[in-house]
Amino acid sequence: MKLALFTGDSIQSYESGLIKEISREAKEKGYQLDIFANCCVPSGDYLHIEGLKKVFYLTNLSNYDGIITADDTLHNYEMNKDLRKYLKKAKCPVVCIRNSVDGCFNIIFDDRHEIYNMTRHIIHDHGCRDIGFVTGTFDLDDTTNRLSGFMDAMLEAGLIINEEEDIFHGNYWSNQGDETAEFFQNRAKGMPEAIICSNDYMAIALIDSLKKKGIKCPEDVIVTGLDNIPESNENIPMLTTIDFDIKEMVSAAIDVIENYNKNPESITTTKKLIPGRCIYRSSCGCMNINDVLVQNYEMMRDIITEEFSNAIQCVNMNMDFGSVLDTEECILRALQLLRNTGRYGHIYAVLKNRLYAEVTYDYNNQKDSQISSSTSYQGKVRLIPDTEEGLDVTKDYPISKSRNDELSGKTNVFYPINCQDELYGYFVIQLKDTDNNGKEIERYFDVVTAQLLIVVGNTLKKLELLSLQGELEDIKKLYQQDPLTGLYNRRGFENSLRHLYQSEEGDVNLADEYRVIISSIDVDGLKYINDNFGHYEGDRAIKAVAECLQEVLKENEFAARIGGDEFSATILLTHGEKKNTFRDKLYAAVKQKASRFTKYTFGVSVGLAEVKSYRMILEGMKEADEDMYKQKRLHHEQNPNF
């Protein structure tokens, strides 16, 4: 059987636990599981979210016997609403977990009942009468359920609820801690005795914001959460919360899919409730302070060590990718970093709908647990040559038909490679049970994974821009360059003159260091050549004159082909040099070059003028033209064909 899971930020605790549990159960049953996920879903970057959610539409839904969606992890900018529309096309059963969605089978926590139990605990065991509540976003059904559980317990105890002062409307994220603290502190009756939050993220953020205001938890106010994420047990104080068994939830979801595929009529209800349990810790005052100190010390030591290690890896990664200058190197480095974690099996990189590179293993029929770091089973990173057939990917074969069998029976995680809304491709990562040392893998993805995905997307964008810049440079070159001779055209010549006089700050102004001479140059005898031998030979003569110009020009001097047989050059002379030196050198060079042409001969007429300021350029060019025509008349008297 083939299953698909659609979930949000996979480095968050809930999503991470969900991936681990559903992967474990799928492997035990021998099912293929394809997971379409994100890392670090932002709360306010619409364009980036547009890029992230494209991963959900990579595959054909008809590939699967059952689909599971973690709808409540995808409510940023309504990612889940877009996905819901897409999943309606599925012919197989679609199971939504932890949130109720119309048209799906729903496996949800009995959060109304457990919030009711938590509220009763705060009222009866801690004697609180003034209690505030923080909701989630009302786009999700569980928000209403949790609020209802709170109100049930309050009304049962005869406690009055002022919705405007006692209930803060949150968003399930950790970015409203300060706002929540301000809301409750500014009530007419002051800070409540306790605040019950609809999830752990909001509860932890609130505790942190209260600390900044000098308000202690639980001494001044009790705070509770829901979800029992790992951070709740690591927080100071440790968070009183509600725990739901993810394993039970996953088993129930897969049971629905199995039973539906055996007999659709056997499914008599679209909703199943999973019970939870309250966990009482120090944020409500239920845990012994000495136990808290010992446990927090051990956890904080581990957390600091892990965070420092992650920070070092991210810094090194940024330095490594800073020098990457082509796509091949970018993808190969990414695959090497993913391989080196030891947490994954085969890894594939797909770019622009084509299988691009992979990490492969030759296990020789050995189990993952038999592969240790001392063996040669480190995975071969390779680019896939274009000559290999069957590399194109489609919705039916999301890593190409040539590798489709390698997905079978595995857990395959699909991650987008994007920069904002532009999707360059995706990674497909196969999960293992144990790492290269045979140790069970507790967490598949972390902040380093998220950083890698961002760095790869940004690097590909950088390379794209550099490539575009190169194209722009080519356009700029063509815009300023004469295609026949390779010299500047009129635009290029004028721009170069401008730069000569208008130097950048800190640069030497060459026009101040040298005498600037403008020359006007015309090819003698070109009309005769064109009329008698054709324009091809005329072009040869023009290119020959251009070559002579390049030979006699010194550093920082430049020339241009202004028209058909008209050239101009800018000469830089020291104050002791004579301006006729350039003219004499060019005459000699052209005479020598023309002597190699046996059918005809040609020459040049050169006029010169000194330009003492940028404002005098046009006047100088006119003066040089007049001088050139004087030279031309002399040459015509010597040779009528000139």
Side-chain angles (χ1 to χ4, degrees):
M1 190 157 68
K2 293 176 65 173
L3 305 176
L5 169 67
F6 295 86
T7 187
D9 193 345
S10 59
I11 71 171
Q12 297 292 339
S13 302
Y14 167 69
E15 290 89 328
S16 178
L18 175 63
I19 288 173
K20 180 176 172 59
E21 185 55 41
I22 196 170
S23 174
R24 182 198 61 77
E25 183 148 346
K27 285 182 179 179
E28 283 184 0
K29 293 176 176 288
Y31 297 160
Q32 176 177 322
L33 172 65
D34 292 344
I35 301 174
F36 301 89
N38 300 138
C39 271
C40 282
V41 181
S43 59
D45 188 338
Y46 174 75
L47 283 179
H48 191 63
I49 289 173
E50 283 296 304
L52 290 178
K53 70 182 183 182
K54 290 177 181 178
V55 75
F56 300 133
Y57 313 112
L58 294 176
T59 188
N60 192 333
L61 297 179
S62 63
N63 289 344
Y64 301 104
D65 302 294
I67 294 170
I68 299 173
T69 173
D71 184 270
D72 62 337
T73 69
L74 296 164
H75 62 266
N76 294 52
Y77 278 93
E78 301 184 342
M79 291 176 76
N80 56 348
K81 291 187 177 180
D82 291 338
L83 182 59
R84 288 177 194 178
K85 294 178 183 178
Y86 181 61
L87 293 182
K88 285 182 179 180
K89 301 176 182 179
K91 304 300 181 183
C92 64
V94 178
V95 182
C96 182
I97 54 178
R98 211 172 68 160
N99 188 47
S100 183
V101 174
D102 291 340
C104 297
F105 297 100
N106 298 293
I107 308 297
I108 59 176
F109 299 136
D110 194 356
D111 37 20
R112 178 171 182 163
H113 183 68
E114 296 308 330
I115 285 284
Y116 166 83
N117 287 338
M118 180 64 76
T119 308
R120 279 180 53 85
H121 170 71
I122 299 303
I123 294 171
H124 296 290
D125 296 339
H126 292 282
C128 297
R129 312 294 290 174
D130 182 10
I131 305 173
F133 189 80
V134 181
T135 75
T137 173
F138 280 90
D139 291 338
L140 303 173
D141 290 344
D142 56 18
T143 296
T144 303
N145 294 336
R146 295 171 192 186
L147 177 59
S148 297
F150 167 73
M151 298 182 75
D152 290 345
M154 293 289 284
L155 294 173
E156 182 185 89
L159 301 177
I160 298 174
I161 302 169
N162 182 335
E163 293 194 23
E164 290 186 0
E165 287 200 348
D166 298 338
I167 298 175
F168 177 82
H169 293 271
N171 61 3
Y172 280 138
W173 292 93
S174 57
N175 60 356
Q176 289 185 308
D178 291 345
E179 186 180 350
T180 310
E182 288 284 340
F183 173 85
F184 286 111
Q185 190 178 34
N186 292 335
R187 295 193 318 163
K189 52 186 176 180
M191 185 66 65
E193 297 171 277
I195 302 172
I196 295 174
C197 299
S198 290
N199 78 353
D200 289 349
Y201 292 122
M202 296 189 297
I204 292 171
L206 174 59
I207 290 173
D208 290 341
S209 294
L210 291 173
K211 284 179 185 176
K212 291 185 289 186
K213 293 176 173 291
I215 301 172
K216 299 179 181 178
C217 173
E219 292 88 345
D220 299 323
V221 58
I222 289 171
V223 178
T224 72
L226 181 148
D227 282 337
N228 193 30
I229 63 174
E231 291 89 341
S232 68
N233 197 39
E234 299 163 355
N235 193 63
I236 300 177
M238 284 187 283
L239 186 65
T240 292
T241 186
I242 299 169
D243 182 50
F244 292 97
D245 191 345
I246 292 181
K247 180 177 180 180
E248 187 174 354
M249 178 184 65
V250 167
S251 295
I254 293 179
D255 284 345
V256 168
I257 293 171
E258 290 175 332
N259 293 331
Y260 183 90
N261 281 287
K262 291 176 183 176
N263 180 12
E265 296 180 359
S266 67
I267 308 297
T268 58
T269 179
T270 60
K271 182 179 295 186
K272 181 174 182 179
L273 295 177
I274 303 297
R277 63 187 179 95
C278 294
I279 300 176
Y280 307 124
R281 297 188 180 121
S282 53
S283 74
C284 71
C286 282
M287 183 175 281
N288 181 280
I289 189 64
N290 289 328
D291 294 340
V292 172
L293 290 174
V294 172
Q295 186 171 340
N296 278 338
Y297 172 77
E298 293 174 349
M299 285 189 302
M300 290 304 296
R301 180 185 60 193
D302 294 339
I303 291 169
I304 291 172
T305 301
E306 180 182 2
E307 288 186 350
F308 179 77
S309 175
N310 287 343
I312 293 297
Q313 290 185 65
C314 290
V315 169
N316 290 336
M317 184 191 306
N318 284 327
M319 290 191 297
D320 288 343
F321 277 84
S323 61
V324 170
L325 293 176
D326 61 66
T327 300
E328 290 184 4
E329 186 180 5
C330 175
I331 297 302
L332 289 178
R333 287 197 183 192
L335 292 181
Q336 288 166 356
L337 289 171
L338 290 169
R339 177 200 63 183
N340 292 345
T341 65
R343 298 192 291 258
Y344 316 126
H346 295 300
I347 308 169
Y348 308 93
V350 174
L351 291 184
K352 300 189 182 299
N353 297 318
R354 192 168 180 81
L355 185 58
Y356 186 82
E358 62 186 352
V359 178
T360 58
Y361 291 81
D362 181 10
Y363 291 156
N364 292 327
N365 298 318
Q366 296 190 47
K367 297 179 179 179
D368 287 348
S369 59
Q370 295 175 301
I371 300 170
S372 68
S373 58
S374 62
T375 70
S376 60
Y377 301 105
Q378 293 301 297
K380 181 180 179 182
V381 180
R382 63 184 289 262
L383 289 170
I384 301 174
D386 291 338
T387 54
E388 187 172 321
E389 296 182 358
L391 298 181
D392 292 337
V393 302
T394 65
K395 283 183 176 292
D396 289 327
Y397 301 102
I399 65 162
S400 88
K401 192 171 184 179
S402 66
R403 302 294 191 280
N404 194 61
D405 290 343
E406 294 178 7
L407 300 182
S408 180
K410 304 289 196 308
T411 296
N412 313 291
V413 182
F414 291 72
Y415 274 131
I417 304 173
N418 70 293
C419 183
Q420 291 196 316
D421 60 335
E422 188 165 0
L423 184 71
Y424 292 103
Y426 49 93
F427 290 115
V428 185
I429 302 170
Q430 290 188 346
L431 305 187
K432 300 193 300 182
D433 295 325
T434 58
D435 62 18
N436 288 348
N437 295 312
K439 183 180 178 181
E440 183 180 353
I441 298 170
E442 293 296 329
R443 193 181 188 95
Y444 286 108
F445 308 108
D446 53 25
V447 67
V448 180
T449 314
Q451 178 75 0
L452 176 61
L453 293 172
I454 291 171
V455 167
V456 171
N458 288 348
T459 300
L460 292 178
K461 183 65 175 180
K462 177 191 75 174
L463 296 176
E464 182 179 67
L465 291 175
L466 287 174
S467 175
L468 178 60
Q469 184 180 14
E471 293 174 9
L472 289 175
E473 287 297 323
D474 288 343
I475 294 171
K476 183 179 179 181
K477 190 175 180 180
L478 290 171
Y479 185 74
Q480 297 188 108
Q481 186 182 63
D482 172 56
L484 178 64
T485 63
L487 300 177
Y488 284 126
N489 58 21
R490 180 181 290 275
R491 299 185 193 93
F493 187 71
E494 291 174 351
N495 287 337
S496 297
L497 278 172
R498 187 179 303 113
H499 291 312
L500 186 68
Y501 285 90
Q502 301 173 352
S503 60
E504 296 293 330
E505 183 178 353
D507 290 342
V508 176
N509 190 327
L510 294 176
D512 292 337
E513 297 290 318
Y514 297 92
R515 292 164 58 209
V516 178
I517 307 299
I518 294 290
S519 67
S520 176
I521 305 163
D522 194 83
V523 179
D524 295 332
L526 186 65
K527 185 178 185 304
Y528 175 80
I529 296 171
N530 286 334
D531 291 346
N532 292 277
F533 301 97
H535 286 277
Y536 173 78
E537 291 297 328
D539 286 346
R540 286 186 63 207
I542 289 172
K543 287 191 286 186
V545 170
E547 290 171 1
C548 293
L549 271 169
Q550 290 172 323
E551 290 172 5
V552 301
L553 290 175
K554 303 191 300 291
E555 185 179 5
N556 295 320
E557 296 176 342
F558 49 89
R561 182 186 177 208
I562 304 300
D565 63 347
E566 300 172 9
F567 294 82
S568 188
T570 298
I571 314 304
L572 301 178
L573 301 179
T574 62
H575 292 285
E577 287 185 279
K578 296 180 180 180
K579 66 179 183 181
N580 282 336
T581 302
F582 166 76
R583 178 157 49 195
D584 294 339
K585 285 184 177 179
L586 184 58
Y587 281 165
V590 172
K591 183 177 181 180
Q592 182 180 8
K593 182 80 70 173
S595 65
R596 301 174 187 172
F597 290 72
T598 58
K599 296 181 181 179
Y600 50 82
T601 188
F602 56 89
V604 292
S605 296
V606 179
L608 301 171
E610 184 169 349
V611 179
K612 295 185 178 180
S613 71
Y614 184 65
R615 292 190 301 272
M616 294 177 62
I617 287 177
L618 291 179
E619 185 179 334
M621 294 181 75
K622 182 178 179 181
E623 183 182 337
D625 279 342
E626 291 173 353
D627 188 39
M628 181 270 294
Y629 284 119
K630 289 179 182 178
Q631 294 288 320
K632 200 169 190 66
R633 283 193 292 271
L634 291 174
H635 295 163
H636 183 68
E637 290 174 1
Q638 297 170 0
N639 187 340
N641 290 332
F642 287 178

